[in-house]
């Protein structure tokens, strides 16, 4: 599991595009485009305050940009890779990892829903149809790691 997490964490930084589609839109902050004028931002703010449900409205959970979510999840996976190897915090890490993989289900469901939507493609449908069910074994594996490995008297694992 640690090796898988380490590989995944490094992929978050080498190829963030691989994870872009599984970050739900409702989690992504919509920053003003670089060079956008203040009057455009003011107009967008007025639209939001008037109840406009268009592209300018942000969800309350939209705390980070898509790239920031990808980086944060990569850092969490890196921390979990280390934590799973340390017996004193292994159970806590495995529990947190189970919760993290479970939370990732929302992104995979959202990506699958979009893949089968009007903008979806055959390729995206295939990718996300395979990706979603892979979460179940990861969740079960992470949960199973909550059992600490016994340590023998010499300080090594039995």
């Amino acid at each position: 599991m640690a090796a898988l997490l380490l590989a995944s964490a490094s992929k978050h930084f080498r190829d963030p595009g691989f994870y872009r589609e599984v970050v739900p839109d409702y989690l992504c902050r919509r920053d003003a485009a670089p060079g956008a004028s203040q009057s455009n931002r003011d107009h967008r703010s007025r639209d939001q305050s008037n109840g406009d449900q268009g592209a300018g409205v942000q969800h309350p959970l939209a705390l980070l940009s898509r790239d920031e979510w990808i980086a944060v999840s990569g850092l969490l996976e890196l921390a979990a890779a280390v934590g799973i190897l340390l017996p004193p915090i292994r159970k806590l890490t495995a529990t947190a990892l189970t919760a993290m993989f479970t939370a990732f289900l929302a992104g995979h469901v959202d990506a699958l829903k979009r893949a089968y939507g009007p903008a979806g493609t055959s390729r995206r449908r295939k990718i996300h149809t395979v990706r979603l069910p892979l979460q179940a074994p990861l969740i079960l594996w992470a949960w199973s790691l909550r059992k600490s490995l016994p340590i023998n008297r010499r300080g090594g694992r039995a």
Side-chain angles (χ1 to χ4, degrees), residues 2-155:
L4 177 72
L5 288 166
L6 188 58
S8 179
S10 67
K11 188 162 181 71
H12 276 76
F13 299 101
R14 284 185 293 110
D15 183 15
F18 182 78
Y19 299 97
R20 277 191 152 290
E21 291 184 10
V22 294
V23 180
D25 290 338
Y26 60 82
L27 288 180
C28 299
R29 183 183 67 228
R30 290 181 188 92
D31 295 332
S37 70
Q38 183 62 40
S39 64
N40 286 346
R41 283 188 287 246
D42 291 343
H43 178 71
R44 213 174 9 244
S45 294
R46 263 195 323 275
D47 289 345
Q48 289 175 17
S49 65
N50 290 332
D52 177 25
Q53 297 301 314
V57 177
Q58 291 198 41
H59 193 279
L61 295 176
L63 303 175
L64 303 173
S65 71
R66 189 173 308 277
D67 290 335
E68 290 168 340
W69 279 115
I70 293 168
V72 165
S73 62
L75 291 172
L76 289 172
E77 288 185 357
L78 179 61
V82 173
I84 217 75
L85 295 174
L86 301 173
I89 62 169
R90 184 178 200 179
K91 186 173 183 174
L92 174 66
T93 302
T95 303
L97 190 54
T98 302
M100 183 177 77
F101 284 147
T102 302
F104 287 174
L105 279 172
H108 288 284
V109 168
D110 186 65
L112 185 63
K113 190 170 114 181
R114 283 184 279 123
Y116 280 91
T121 64
S122 173
R123 180 178 177 274
R124 287 176 63 203
R125 284 189 285 276
K126 287 176 190 170
I127 289 169
H128 295 297
T129 299
V130 170
R131 239 174 157 175
L132 176 62
L134 290 176
Q135 288 302 111
L138 287 174
I139 292 166
L140 294 172
W141 187 11
W143 185 255
S144 75
L145 294 174
R146 295 178 71 247
K147 299 174 189 162
S148 295
L149 294 176
I151 298 176
N152 66 27
R153 293 179 192 203
R154 294 183 193 155

